[in-house]
Amino acid sequence: MSPPAESVFASLPHMERGVAKVLGGDPKGNNFLYTNGKSVIIRNIENPAIADVYTEHPHQVIVAKYAPSGFYIASGDVSGKIRIWDTTQKEHLLKYEYQPFGGKIKDIAWTEDSKRVAVVGEGREKFGAVFLWDSGSSVGEIVGHSKIINSVDIKQTRPYRLVTGSDDNCTTFLEGPPFKFKCTISVSLELLFCVVLVSVSVQIFLYEGKTGEKLGSLGGEKAHDGGIYAVSWSPDSTQLISASGDKTVKLWDVGSGTAVTTFNLGSDVLDQQLGCLWQKNHLLSVSLSGYINYLDRSNPDRPLRTIKGHTKSIQCLTVHKTDGRSSIYSASHDGHINILQSISAHYWDSESGENEGFVGKGHSNLVSRMTPAEAHPLRVCVCVCVCVSASDVVKMDMQPKCVSVGPGGLAVTVCDAAVRLQDGKVRLYSVQGNTLKDDGKVLEVQGPVTDMSYSPDGAFLAVTDEKKVISVFTVADGYTEKSEFYGHHAKVVCLSWSPDNERFATGGMDMMVYVWTVSDPDKRIKIPDAHRLHHVSGLAWLNPNTLVTTSHDACVKQWNLKN
């Protein structure tokens, strides 16, 4: 039996400039959700370090919404598939899958009885559909638009009303069920990003929920100085928040039509606000950077908290300990480096799971390897080799592939070249000052080398190769081969030694992680589908019984191996 994931530090939402991001909330107000790649991320709103990841879509997921009952979630992807799955079990069993149209699904809405689902998007023959959740039978027809429908919502009291907003600058109202076209209202704006019985672009229009009659607008002709990408109602329907490309979120009093509070989220382009959610007493917004902001009504210029992390694939990680405290460093494909702190050498900060990014000018591209040094908290290797503050930069003639730091802070970087060759041989070098001397010692392995690492005490050298074999050599015996380890079904890509030198972990293209015991090759722990969608890109140990893994799903996972 594989060990459970003790903690999941989830990815942030995948964001695109100028594209609204839908945040969903469960009806009890305990969780919120969003999408990144092929994953749906569910996070506890009080403690967002508690997260769950749904990974069953074969294509990129765009939107996910809870049923009002809270028992199911409907999620839609770029292929036009809708999956309706269970929320009460860890396995999230699939209940139904439908394809209402062929093309990207952009929004989803449920009726209040959780029996009907409306979906809209970039269909080829039609832009929307509404059907029974448990049979897929149509309960109306969404018509009245000539272009892509961006948003849909359903009035949550009878008689039901369905409203849509489209690229054709129109809002359409339908009555039902079965839902039938009632009227179209031309807004005469560049684009309608969302509707929840209000329609928005640079203005926010209010409509009577039953008749579709236009009641007025919030803030007059210009509610924000930029495009408005999302709105979300308060639980009592007397207020709403709006998120804008002008880098602000505004809190509106619907009765007076005025902005009560303006939340200023920054001045950088990445501070544009593309999504928002009012969940119980929490006001959330999501920035173009992917950061999720908990807004503070008493201090609108500073969020109560900001959830940070990665939005793109994590390439590598390492663990560094200072003053008895462990930090996990992870680096992603976009060049961002984040630090996830733990309160001790054993566990993540279970109260917050907070992390911080490095400041200063860092990398502009893929970070391929990181390693800690005694003199510096961290040295990173990519197109250049930098320290944590990016104050030391070493230009390289070729792209660095890996880096290692020895005593005294001496760093050795490999660039497309010689130590790890494609001929299945490992060559040993002596370090003499600032130069390397070929010792003439060659170790034979089964295939092209993919990774290698000395045990912390220097007693063993482990080497992985493309032939799915892990070879361990004993240093004191002149690098004689001690054991070979087999089990992976595809190329092994990374390895990491435990701090006690007794075990090491490997990750393969088969999406498996194995934990091996040096003294007994037959004793192993198998973690299948550690990240499900992708192979493990990085391994590191917090302590002898706690392994951390990363992957291209942009998530960090921590595994308890004590049992």
Side-chain angles (χ1 to χ4, degrees):
M1 180 178 179
S2 62
E6 186 174 272
S7 299
V8 177
F9 289 86
S11 64
L12 295 178
H14 172 74
M15 307 299 292
E16 297 179 57
R17 188 171 181 178
V19 178
K21 190 65 180 183
V22 177
L23 299 179
D26 81 283
K28 294 182 179 179
N30 297 325
N31 302 310
F32 67 99
L33 54 77
Y34 53 84
T35 63
N36 184 314
K38 299 177 183 178
S39 301
V40 178
I41 314 297
I42 306 171
R43 304 185 81 153
N44 182 277
I45 200 160
E46 297 289 347
N47 182 7
I50 301 174
D52 194 6
V53 184
Y54 179 78
T55 58
E56 297 303 317
H57 275 272
H59 304 284
Q60 180 186 356
V61 193
I62 302 299
V63 60
K65 291 284 187 71
Y66 273 94
S69 66
F71 296 142
Y72 302 102
I73 289 173
S75 51
D77 62 31
V78 296
S79 74
K81 287 283 180 64
I82 284 282
R83 293 177 67 88
I84 299 175
W85 39 280
D86 174 75
T87 64
T88 62
Q89 304 295 322
K90 180 68 175 177
E91 295 79 11
H92 298 308
L93 298 177
L94 177 68
K95 297 296 292 184
Y96 302 100
E97 182 179 74
Y98 304 111
Q99 179 130 21
F101 50 80
K104 182 188 297 185
I105 291 174
K106 302 196 72 173
D107 203 5
I108 298 171
W110 293 77
T111 54
E112 52 82 27
D113 58 4
S114 300
K115 292 182 178 180
R116 303 165 188 87
V117 181
V119 298
V120 297
E122 300 181 10
R124 299 182 183 90
E125 298 178 355
K126 59 181 180 179
F127 304 119
V130 55
F131 52 87
L132 293 174
W133 83 285
D134 57 354
S135 68
S137 300
S138 175
V139 286
E141 188 176 10
I142 297 178
V143 296
H145 290 293
S146 60
K147 293 184 179 180
I148 294 167
I149 301 177
N150 295 305
S151 184
V152 63
D153 197 35
I154 298 175
K155 186 168 74 75
Q156 294 296 290
T157 56
R158 293 178 181 270
Y160 292 143
R161 296 293 183 267
L162 187 151
V163 58
T164 58
S166 168
D167 277 4
D168 61 11
N169 306 330
C170 292
T171 297
T172 296
F173 284 82
L174 296 93
E175 296 178 332
F179 290 96
K180 298 178 180 179
F181 175 82
K182 179 182 180 182
C183 65
T184 294
I185 300 173
S186 178
V187 184
S188 299
L189 294 172
E190 292 182 1
L191 191 67
L192 276 171
F193 291 111
C194 73
V195 291
V196 279
L197 295 177
V198 301
S199 64
V200 300
S201 183
V202 294
Q203 292 178 261
I204 303 175
F205 297 99
L206 293 176
Y207 301 91
E208 205 282 326
K210 182 178 179 180
T211 65
E213 177 187 358
K214 184 177 177 181
L215 300 177
S217 62
L218 300 181
E221 295 184 358
K222 196 174 185 181
H224 280 270
D225 292 330
I228 305 169
Y229 291 92
V231 294
S232 183
W233 285 95
S234 64
D236 62 5
S237 300
T238 63
Q239 296 179 311
L240 62 82
I241 55 174
S242 57
S244 170
D246 66 7
K247 309 174 188 69
T248 70
V249 173
K250 289 189 177 183
L251 171 59
W252 299 89
D253 178 76
V254 175
S256 65
T258 58
V260 177
T261 306
T262 298
F263 302 94
N264 299 297
L265 278 304
S267 57
D268 189 84
V269 65
L270 292 177
D271 297 318
Q272 293 180 1
Q273 301 302 298
L274 302 183
C276 61
L277 177 68
W278 194 317
Q279 186 80 325
K280 277 189 176 178
N281 296 322
H282 298 286
L283 308 182
L284 305 184
S285 73
V286 58
S287 306
L288 176 57
S289 63
Y291 289 177
I292 301 169
N293 309 292
Y294 282 61
L295 305 178
D296 186 355
R297 277 177 273 192
S298 64
N299 186 6
D301 294 327
R302 184 181 179 86
L304 285 166
R305 69 186 305 176
T306 299
I307 303 175
K308 301 179 181 180
H310 293 290
T311 62
K312 296 185 179 180
S313 60
I314 301 175
Q315 300 295 316
C316 56
L317 84 160
T318 191
V319 169
H320 183 62
K321 295 184 179 181
T322 54
D323 301 324
R325 184 180 182 181
S326 293
S327 299
I328 294 175
Y329 295 82
S330 56
S332 63
H333 180 73
D334 53 9
H336 291 171
I337 303 171
N338 284 59
I339 315 169
L340 296 97
Q341 299 280 4
S342 61
I343 57 174
S344 70
H346 300 280
Y347 302 100
W348 295 97
D349 186 337
S350 60
E351 295 299 319
S352 67
E354 294 179 354
N355 64 86
E356 289 293 338
F358 289 155
V359 297
K361 185 177 181 180
H363 296 293
S364 60
N365 210 320
L366 181 147
V367 178
S368 57
R369 185 64 63 94
M370 298 185 294
T371 186
E374 294 178 2
H376 301 276
L378 185 66
R379 288 193 180 273
V380 184
C381 182
V382 70
C383 296
V384 291
C385 188
V386 303
C387 72
V388 62
S389 64
S391 60
D392 300 325
V393 179
V394 180
K395 297 290 185 181
M396 313 295 289
D397 294 331
M398 295 176 287
Q399 180 179 349
K401 295 296 185 182
C402 61
V403 63
S404 181
V405 179
L410 180 66
V412 177
T413 301
V414 177
C415 301
D416 278 342
V419 174
R420 297 193 306 174
L421 297 178
Q422 297 299 303
D423 57 4
K425 296 179 181 179
V426 177
R427 288 167 171 80
L428 301 177
Y429 295 80
S430 297
V431 178
Q432 298 184 355
N434 292 331
T435 63
L436 296 177
K437 179 185 177 183
D438 190 344
D439 286 345
K441 181 74 172 179
V442 178
L443 307 180
E444 301 278 353
V445 294
Q446 299 296 320
V449 176
T450 56
D451 201 4
M452 65 176 68
S453 179
Y454 280 102
S455 59
D457 62 3
F460 303 105
L461 172 66
V463 181
T464 64
D465 61 50
E466 292 185 2
K467 299 296 184 180
K468 302 171 286 188
V469 181
I470 305 102
S471 304
V472 175
F473 300 89
T474 304
V475 174
D477 293 336
Y479 288 89
T480 59
E481 186 171 33
K482 176 179 176 59
S483 300
E484 288 183 341
F485 298 79
Y486 300 87
H488 283 283
H489 302 307
K491 180 173 68 174
V492 185
V493 294
C494 55
L495 72 89
S496 179
W497 283 90
S498 66
D500 60 6
N501 307 290
E502 294 181 0
R503 297 191 289 183
F504 63 92
T506 57
M509 295 296 292
D510 53 8
M511 294 186 290
M512 292 187 183
V513 172
Y514 281 98
V515 179
W516 311 91
T517 301
V518 178
S519 60
D520 185 357
D522 294 327
K523 184 179 180 180
R524 63 188 184 184
I525 298 174
K526 179 181 177 182
I527 308 176
D529 293 329
H531 287 257
R532 291 190 65 81
L533 293 174
H534 305 278
H535 69 271
V536 173
S537 59
L539 298 162
W541 296 76
L542 280 179
N543 57 64
N545 293 311
T546 309
L547 179 68
V548 181
T549 62
T550 57
S551 180
H552 299 311
D553 61 6
C555 295
V556 178
K557 290 188 178 183
Q558 180 178 303
W559 305 87
N560 184 356
L561 307 175
K562 192 171 183 178
N563 296 327

